Each structure stands twice: as C-alpha cells, then as structure tokens.
Amino acid sequence: MDNLLLGAFIYLMASVIAVPLAKRLGLGSVLGYLIAGIVIGPVAGLVGSETTDVQHFAEFGVVMMLFIVGLELEPRSLWGMRHKLLGLGGLQVLLTVSLISLAAWLFGLDWRIALAVGMVFSLSSTAIVLQTLNEKSLMKSEGGKSSFSVLLFQDIAVIPMLAIIPLLAVPGLSGGESGHGEEGGAAELLSHLEAWQMALLTIGAVALVVVGGYYLSRPVFRYIARSQLREMFTAVALLLVIAIALLMDVVGLSPALGTFLAGVVLATSEYRHELESDIEPFKGLLLGLFFVTVGAGVDFTVLSQNLGVVVGVTLGIMAIKAAVLYVLALLFGIRGSDRWLLFLGLAQAGEFGFVLISFCLQSAALPVELSKILLLVVALSMMLTPGLFIFFERVIQPRMVRSQSRDSDEITEKGTVIIAGHGRFGQVINRLMLSNGHKTVVLDLHAEMVENMRIFGVQSFYGDASRPDLLHAAGLHEAELLVVALDSQKDSLTLIDYVRRERPDLHIIARAYDRRHVYKLYQLGANDIVRETFDSGLRAGRYALEALGMHPAESERAATLFATEELKGIRRLAEVYDPDVPLVQNSEYVRLAREIQSSLEKAMMGKSRVRHDRSEEGWRPPGNTALDDDTGGADSSQVS
C-alpha cells in the first residue's frame, strides 16, 4: 500500500469498529485489535507487505509503556522487587529455555537451532500482559506484581540473548536481512570498538540516564513549563523517550529497558503526572497499532499448509511455560488466584520473539522455513492470551474467591445498630455510634479488615451481611437501625430487599454509589440514602464559590439550598426511573431532569437576588441555619 493516508485510515477504521465491539462483548481491547488485524489483513487483504514495517514502528509503544510503568515505581519499590525480579524472573527464563530447547532437540533439531528456539519462546508479551493487567485492574495484585517482575527480567534477558545468537550460527545456513534492523543504523557506528570499550560505553550510557534524569531533567522541564505551551511539554516528553531509546540502541541495550529505568528515576519528580498524561495517548495508539499488525501478519497460506504443526507447537510451548510458572509460583509462595493469573497470563510468546527470530535469520541460526512456522506460533500464542485472561476472570477468579473464603464468625453479641460493611465509609458511622453510647454489631466480608479492627479494639464479625442467618444472629428483629455500607451495589440491594420484607418498620440508612443506585435503593424502601461522594463534592463546591469572592455565610446558604433542591429533584426522578431503560432513552426521565435543572437554576438565582436586595437594606445573613425548606412530601426518606 503506497498511500500513507489510506493505510492510516484502514488501520484506524478497523480499530474503531472492532475494539469497542470487543469491549462491549467482554473480550477486552487487545483481542479487539487482533481481530481487526486479521480482518484487514489475511481475510480482506486491505493491507499487505507494509505490515512488517508498521509493526517495527508500532513496537515503540512497548518502549513508551515501560516508561510509564517506570514512572509509577519509585526506586525503593523497584529495590523491593529484587528477589522476584532475579529469582522468579531469572528461574523462569532459565528453566523455560532449557525445557523448550530440550524438547526441540528431542524432535530432531540441531542443538544450536534448538537453543535459539528456546530463547525465542522463553519471552512473554509485555505489551499484551501489562495492557490487560491494567485494563482489568490486576496490576496491584500479587499475581500482577509477580508477572511484572518476570516481564522486566525477560526484557533484561534479551541483551545476552542477542549476544549469544551469533555464536549459534549453523554451517550451511545463509544469513538473511534482519527485519528489525537490529544491527543496522546507529549500532554500526560503534561496531569497531573493543569489548572493554563497549562495556565502559554501556555503563556510561546507563549512568547518563540515571544522573541526567535526576539532575538535568528538572531544570529542563521547569524551563519548558514557564513557556506555558502544552505542546512544548508534550514535545519534550517525546524527545526524552526517543533520545533514551536511541541511546540504548546505540550501545546495544534494550530501548524498553532504558526508558523503564528513566521512568523509575523520574518517579519522584514533580513533573511525573504531566509526563504520564502526555505520553499515554501515544502509547495507547502505538500499542493498539502493534496488536493490529500482529493479527494482520498471520500468513494463512503457511498456516493452512502446517496447521497441525503450528497448533501443536503453540499448545506445547504454552503448556511448558505454564508448567514452569506454576512450579515457580509454588516455590515463591504465590497462592490462589494470583498463581493462576501468573501462569495463565505469561504462557504466551512475546513481541520480542519477532525480534529474535529476525536476528536469528540474519545470524544463520534458524532456517527460513522453520522461522515462518515460529512466527506463526508466536502470533497465535499472543492471540490466545486474551482468551486465557477471560477464562481467568470469569471462571477461575470467582471459584477461587469462594474456595478461599473462610467460615463466618459466630456472632455472640447483639446491638441496637447493625452496620453492614466496615470500610472507609462504615468505619466513620461506627465510630460516631460508639462514641455516642450506642451498641453496634459490625459485619464485614473482608477477613483482614475484621482482624485489623479487632487489634484496635473494635468488635466486628466476619461474614456476608446479606445472609439471613447472620442477620438474625446479629439481632435483626431487635435492632432499631440498619446501616448498609457495602461496596457491592448488588449485595446492598439484595440485603435491603430482604430486610424490608422481614422488618418493614426498621429504619435503613444506605450508602449509594451513584444516581442509578439511589433510585434502586429508594424503590426498595431505604429511608435515608447517602451518595458516597455527594457531601464531599458539595463542600468542594462551597470552597469554589468562596474562592470566587462569595462570603462564607452566603456559600453555606447556597450549598444548603442546592442540597434541598437536589433532594426534591432526585426523589421525583426516582419515581420515573426504569432500570430496564437507559436514562437517555427514558423520555419522561429526560424531560423531568431538564425541568428540575431549570427550576434549580431559578431557585438559586432568586435567592441570590433576595440576598442582594436585603444586603442593600443593611440585612446580614445569619450563620449556619437549620434546613427548613420543604423536603418534598410526607415520606420521611431522604437522599443526599
């Protein structure tokens, strides 16, 4: 394809159509990109030989991703990972290379070719795994941290692999051109240096990244920030990443590793968030483009001719890698769902496999026909990975949560107040109740939270508050008040539905996540409903009014009036809310919402004019006043 604009249009159009659809079906964005690539490549033939060149460019997204990951890690955190980085990561690479090489040798390959194959498949996909872990909020889990340690060591391991591969040249095989150009360009400028000179240069380059990143970056960023030109800061951020990647490439190190190191150095910088926000869009687009090229690069002709071999080798490689990771997870004490996440998530081959295969061809370490099959195996294993994450999320994780849950505590006390959920929301309520002499019974489904509260002398019980037997044991029929402070919207609705049927007279105070949750709680009969962010947002709004020149007493009255009008409006909207109809498609809801907003603006402006007129007559507003506005009917339920 010679037309650059047409090519960009095809790649972007395929992504825009496939990725939102895949996300909507719960398949994840990575699988959406891969499917888009298959459609525009092997299926429709809209892209062709330029896919490889595009892939080389898009691989820079991996470099940017590791820079952003580094920005989120302080040096102290990286030092704390050293045991898993060297132990777990090092053993994974060593054992995987050994086992895959042995298997390849047993199937009749020359030992040099077998070792090259082992190194190619020992690496996993940093792009797919980190993207999916972040997308599914698994990065902070033990399995996510362990996966990152392994991936980081693999990136480091690429450097000695590139040094070893030329030594594996097989007599009779002719070296080809490296599709990735690893030995061309800037690296050739230093090819005449002695080994000790290259070593010194490499150490100097790493030192330059560390020292320069710590001492030189701040004055530069400060200078650019004074220009108040956002595009200049974006340009400097890109320049920084590209310069470090180029420097690492010149001295023969991994560009991804170099930018990761730079990110760690800048993790304590006051410009960290600005850098991250500037790089993030480029990283996302390039990674998405990379995944599309993986799908587009599948050679269906070679695949159809060697279907059994490709599928068999792919499944075999993934099984060996999963087995190695499973054993290492046992040795390093990684338990439960985190163990599954580790060995399912890293079982595939990775994007650096394409680099190593190209380099092996150039170094005469792999025959051309075998390399075509290996490229398909790498691509196919990467395409299977999103499915493994879906399997983990929908099958493994729910089962592990159920199997790991401990038996509920025996509830030996009863109180006038039952509090379901003792997180940051429920804790405040419980402390207020206790400090005012009320006896509470706290139920929480987080065992660690319960144990920690007991250390501080707060009596709480482990158990699912939505279970009828636990509610009765906690004194449901004797209690005067139920506070529902659960994180799960579904569980809170289930609990209130049961309690309202069992105790129609019980006063229920419920925590709500958003308006939709408010409406559902209201319809189930909760007496007082508190949106978890409403009060803090209202207080911030008061500060904003005062910052714009309004007197504190005036801002207090404005906030009180706003809260009162909001209460009236949200109760009216709850009457017309239909959970089966999207809000924007509920015509009565939309009409009423627009009417309420108009009434709110008129009420606020009317009060403002009254206060202005009275102030001209010498009237001064009182301090905090009780809320004496009409709350909207005889029903005592409140919403805030």
Side-chain angles (χ1 to χ4, degrees), residues 256-324:
L257 180 63
T259 51
F260 169 77
L261 183 61
V264 172
V265 173
L266 292 171
T268 57
S269 169
E270 63 270 29
Y271 299 100
R272 174 171 67 92
H273 297 294
E274 184 75 15
L275 285 169
E276 188 173 351
S277 63
D278 285 337
I279 294 294
E280 181 68 35
F282 297 97
K283 183 268 294 185
L285 280 173
L286 288 175
L287 275 183
L289 182 60
F290 172 75
F291 298 140
V292 172
T293 60
V294 171
V298 175
D299 191 333
F300 271 52
T301 302
V302 177
L303 181 62
S304 61
Q305 294 172 352
N306 303 275
L307 182 61
V309 174
V310 172
V311 173
V313 172
T314 301
L315 296 179
I317 293 296
M318 296 182 74
I320 291 174
K321 295 188 71 172
V324 169

Side-chain angles (χ1 to χ4, degrees), residues 271-545:
Y271 299 100
R272 174 171 67 92
H273 297 294
E274 184 75 15
L275 285 169
E276 188 173 351
S277 63
D278 285 337
I279 294 294
E280 181 68 35
F282 297 97
K283 183 268 294 185
L285 280 173
L286 288 175
L287 275 183
L289 182 60
F290 172 75
F291 298 140
V292 172
T293 60
V294 171
V298 175
D299 191 333
F300 271 52
T301 302
V302 177
L303 181 62
S304 61
Q305 294 172 352
N306 303 275
L307 182 61
V309 174
V310 172
V311 173
V313 172
T314 301
L315 296 179
I317 293 296
M318 296 182 74
I320 291 174
K321 295 188 71 172
V324 169
L325 288 163
Y326 182 83
V327 172
L328 292 176
L330 290 175
L331 292 176
F332 281 82
I334 302 172
R335 299 181 178 86
S337 60
D338 292 311
R339 182 188 304 162
W340 283 84
L341 178 61
L342 179 66
F343 76 80
L344 286 177
L346 298 181
Q348 79 293 124
E351 55 278 348
F352 280 115
F354 298 123
V355 177
L356 292 184
I357 290 173
S358 297
F359 191 63
C360 286
L361 279 174
Q362 181 193 6
S363 304
L366 280 178
V368 175
E369 293 302 317
L370 178 61
S371 69
K372 293 180 180 179
I373 294 176
L374 297 185
L375 287 170
L376 283 174
V377 171
V378 172
L380 183 58
S381 68
M382 292 172 69
M383 294 173 67
L384 291 175
T385 302
L388 293 178
F389 274 106
I390 293 171
F391 176 75
F392 168 81
E393 185 180 35
R394 297 186 180 180
V395 179
I396 300 300
Q397 202 170 32
R399 290 186 179 181
M400 296 303 295
V401 169
R402 288 196 297 269
S403 65
Q404 291 172 2
S405 61
R406 70 182 224 193
D407 293 334
S408 299
D409 291 337
E410 181 183 355
I411 300 177
T412 56
E413 300 182 17
K414 295 183 179 180
T416 55
V417 180
I418 300 175
I419 300 179
H422 203 246
R424 64 185 188 277
F425 191 90
Q427 285 183 36
V428 176
I429 301 171
N430 187 37
R431 290 174 60 195
L432 184 61
M433 294 297 101
L434 293 174
S435 62
N436 282 274
H438 295 285
K439 178 69 174 177
T440 64
V441 178
V442 179
L443 300 174
D444 197 282
L445 199 53
H446 296 83
E448 185 178 357
M449 174 69 72
V450 172
E451 297 299 331
N452 290 342
M453 289 302 101
R454 288 177 178 174
I455 293 174
F456 289 99
V458 178
Q459 181 63 48
S460 55
F461 300 94
Y462 175 80
D464 184 357
S466 62
R467 282 177 48 183
D469 57 328
L470 291 183
L471 285 172
H472 287 288
L476 176 61
H477 286 281
E478 294 82 11
E480 299 177 8
L481 175 67
L482 170 67
V483 178
V484 181
L486 300 174
D487 289 329
S488 170
Q489 297 182 46
K490 181 180 178 181
D491 290 344
S492 66
L493 296 173
T494 302
L495 171 58
I496 293 175
D497 183 45
Y498 173 78
V499 170
R500 184 50 75 214
R501 286 186 281 107
E502 194 75 10
R503 281 284 310 273
D505 61 315
L506 184 64
H507 195 96
I508 300 175
I509 300 174
R511 162 195 181 184
Y513 177 74
D514 56 13
R515 280 176 173 261
R516 292 179 179 84
H517 196 200
V518 168
Y519 300 148
K520 295 173 183 177
L521 292 168
Y522 179 86
Q523 292 172 353
L524 287 174
N527 298 94
D528 299 312
I529 305 169
V530 182
R531 275 179 286 168
E532 56 188 25
T533 59
F534 181 78
D535 289 330
S536 57
L538 192 63
R539 181 180 297 183
R542 281 179 48 204
Y543 295 156
L545 291 174

Side-chain angles (χ1 to χ4, degrees), residues 603-619:
M604 298 293 290
M605 294 304 295
K607 290 276 183 155
S608 176
R609 282 194 295 271
V610 169
R611 288 195 297 272
H612 179 72
D613 293 341
R614 289 180 179 178
S615 64
E616 290 179 347
E617 301 168 4
W619 178 83

